[in-house]
Amino acid sequence: MERLHLHLLSDSTGETLEMVAKAALAQFESADVVRHFWPMVRSQQHLDRIMTEISANPGLVMFTVVSTEIRERLEQRCTALGLRSVAALDTVTDALETLLGQEAKGRPGRQHLMDDAYFRRVDAIQFTIAHDDGIASDNWEQADIILAGVSRSSKTPTSIYLANRGFRVANIPIVVESPPPPSLFAVRRPLVVGLTTSPERLIQVRRNRLLSLNQAPETSYVDNEHVTREVQYARRMFADNGWPVIDVSRRSIEETAAAVINLYNERHNSRAPGGTEIARDEQSWTETRKGSAQ
């Protein structure tokens, strides 16, 4: 398979462009792709220096650039070199302009502005870190979501991912020998979600964890009977309290988080008058916050 040089050129951090490229490349197995990352391109002089590098490693050029002058110069240079260039967000932006009846602002990195939504995400991350692994249970009523599950059921990474989406998340391990505090069963505002997995998968993950820590691989932590009892105990608790359950056995962190967000939206849609409540993501965070506080 011939090697492809993929050049990702952005006038901002390039995070969005990188995610688009990653999602597209995931559709091609064993593709031999070398990615070249060019962020913060905001002058023609900078672009010219980059084009020298691109000409030395010709390939596909993907870009997110709002400056008309820089875009035109980039496309002209790519055409002269016989390279294909793709404006990654143009189709979506054009469709939104038509449907919304207004022109895009044309400002680089608008999604990274330090606005109210940004500081709310910072607050969500701080809250989530401070309420990891059962800590500060007295404050759980302030959470949007509480994740419960046995050890190594992806609670912490899922919590952090959700926090980056603006959700205040607490998580608690479910341990047979140490039942959760009563405050878990008394919360009203947060959505409590149970995370579960198969005992076989859990044992595998735990063994890998012990090996990475150079600890003894044969303990009750990975004993089949003990682990099975743990999983059953947690599932019974989830069922007894009517908490929704997500099996994370074959889910990535992103997939688990997406499932949690769907449950969160469904819950708030059912509570909002006329079903108008929507997810806490970016600008919609404010509407959800107001609705859940009423």
Side-chain angles (χ1 to χ4, degrees), residues 90-248:
D90 273 17
T91 301
V92 177
T93 303
D94 291 346
L96 287 172
E97 285 183 335
T98 300
L99 293 171
L100 296 175
Q102 57 180 284
E103 291 186 1
K105 292 293 185 181
R107 290 167 56 188
R110 278 184 61 82
Q111 72 272 36
H112 301 298
L113 290 177
M114 296 178 67
D115 54 10
D116 288 344
Y118 172 84
F119 289 108
R120 284 192 289 268
R121 285 195 297 274
V122 172
D123 172 70
I125 293 171
Q126 291 175 336
F127 179 92
T128 300
I129 292 174
H131 294 80
D132 182 44
D133 205 31
I135 297 174
S137 59
D138 291 343
N139 298 327
W140 280 351
E141 193 63 37
Q142 300 174 24
D144 301 307
I145 298 166
I146 298 176
L147 300 181
V150 298
S151 174
R152 313 312 298 177
S153 57
S154 305
K155 297 184 301 300
T156 295
T158 303
S159 296
I160 297 299
Y161 186 93
L162 288 167
N164 276 280
R165 295 289 300 272
F167 295 90
R168 293 158 64 93
V169 185
N171 75 75
I172 178 171
I174 303 301
V175 182
V176 177
E177 296 80 9
S178 180
S183 56
L184 176 63
F185 309 102
V187 294
R188 292 293 177 265
R189 180 178 176 273
L191 168 68
V192 182
V193 179
L195 302 184
T196 188
T197 184
S198 67
E200 296 76 17
R201 173 62 176 165
L202 192 58
I203 290 172
Q204 179 185 7
V205 172
R206 289 182 175 184
R207 283 189 185 280
N208 291 337
R209 175 63 173 170
L210 291 176
L211 288 172
S212 69
L213 297 174
N214 293 319
Q215 295 185 5
E218 299 302 329
T219 67
S220 60
Y221 188 61
V222 292
D223 177 73
N224 183 71
E225 183 177 345
H226 185 273
V227 172
T228 299
R229 187 166 66 253
E230 275 189 85
V231 173
Q232 291 174 343
Y233 174 76
R235 287 177 174 170
R236 186 165 54 251
M237 181 183 298
F238 302 156
D240 290 345
N241 290 276
W243 298 333
V245 178
I246 297 174
D247 190 329
V248 303

